[in-house]
Amino acid sequence: MPCPEADFPPGSLYTEALMSGSKRSDSALTMRPPPLTAECGLIINTSFSVTGFGKRWTHCHQLANYLARYASANENDPERTSTLLSTFFNELLEAIYRNHARRGLINITFERRLDRVCVKAEVPVDEQSLGFYKRTIELASNPELTAWYRERLENDISEEDAGALGLLELTVVYGAQIAIHDAPGPDGNGRQSIQLWVEFPYSELDEV
């Protein structure tokens, strides 16, 4: 069932409201109800330069942990959800870290849609990195993907396959859906970017 469109304009305080839960103006000591998690809507948006992100490998791990804790703050089991989302986000950010153009901005939007976290990553690409994403998406739609994945876990693999393995793990093991959305044309400086969409389920997960 599709989520209704949010009534909050871009740049509003919706993220703050999502995190804060309900508040009472009454100063009396009362039992406060548990915070409510919106079924749909923006969680957080982050934007950073390729050059700044690419300078230190630790950025992937640190950013994944921060985003995971932010996104899971109002969940019934925030520690479990944070651990799962940190794994998801780290694989995504590692793929972006290794596959992007030398210049430009990376923009990532995190949204909640019922039992999923949907991520749209706009990534500047060159010919080589664009080829990586296209091939990974093709592999993700392969009906024999699970067999392909297991075979490469058990044998020596090419550098090309190794690069795709992390993102494909999200599909095989965790049931994530991966796609490239409509790729916008080059910007004013002639740079091209893609929109990588990933939907992460984070409830009742069963590993294969």
Side-chain angles (χ1 to χ4, degrees), residues 171-192:
T171 297
V172 175
V173 178
Y174 298 104
Q177 297 179 12
I178 305 175
I180 294 180
H181 200 59
D182 296 338
D187 64 14
N189 297 313
R191 291 189 289 259
Q192 183 181 4

Side-chain angles (χ1 to χ4, degrees), residues 111-132:
E111 297 179 353
R112 182 185 175 98
R113 296 182 184 176
L114 302 177
D115 62 345
R116 289 177 173 260
V117 168
C118 302
V119 181
K120 180 183 74 173
E122 187 169 328
V123 186
V125 292
D126 51 24
E127 185 176 349
Q128 181 178 350
S129 53
L130 178 60
F132 164 80

Side-chain angles (χ1 to χ4, degrees), residues 92-148:
L92 174 63
L93 291 169
E94 183 175 332
I96 293 173
Y97 177 88
R98 294 181 180 277
N99 300 278
H100 56 68
R102 297 181 61 184
R103 299 180 183 277
L105 286 176
I106 298 169
N107 187 71
I108 305 181
T109 301
F110 297 80
E111 297 179 353
R112 182 185 175 98
R113 296 182 184 176
L114 302 177
D115 62 345
R116 289 177 173 260
V117 168
C118 302
V119 181
K120 180 183 74 173
E122 187 169 328
V123 186
V125 292
D126 51 24
E127 185 176 349
Q128 181 178 350
S129 53
L130 178 60
F132 164 80
Y133 290 112
K134 285 185 174 180
R135 181 172 183 273
T136 301
I137 298 307
E138 287 176 2
L139 287 170
S141 61
N142 185 343
E144 301 298 325
L145 176 60
T146 300
W148 181 95

Side-chain angles (χ1 to χ4, degrees), residues 63-110:
L63 184 56
N65 284 345
Y66 172 79
L67 293 171
R69 288 190 173 276
Y70 196 106
S72 59
N74 279 355
E75 295 297 326
N76 291 331
D77 189 348
E79 287 301 320
R80 174 184 178 276
T81 306
S82 176
T83 301
L84 286 171
L85 291 182
S86 181
T87 300
F88 299 158
F89 296 166
N90 194 69
E91 292 293 355
L92 174 63
L93 291 169
E94 183 175 332
I96 293 173
Y97 177 88
R98 294 181 180 277
N99 300 278
H100 56 68
R102 297 181 61 184
R103 299 180 183 277
L105 286 176
I106 298 169
N107 187 71
I108 305 181
T109 301
F110 297 80

Side-chain angles (χ1 to χ4, degrees), residues 9-38:
S12 72
L13 296 179
Y14 175 66
T15 302
E16 180 181 342
L18 180 64
M19 297 296 298
S20 63
S22 58
K23 296 184 179 179
R24 295 175 60 94
S25 57
D26 187 357
S27 59
L29 294 177
T30 58
M31 290 296 291
R32 203 181 265 183
L36 298 177
T37 302

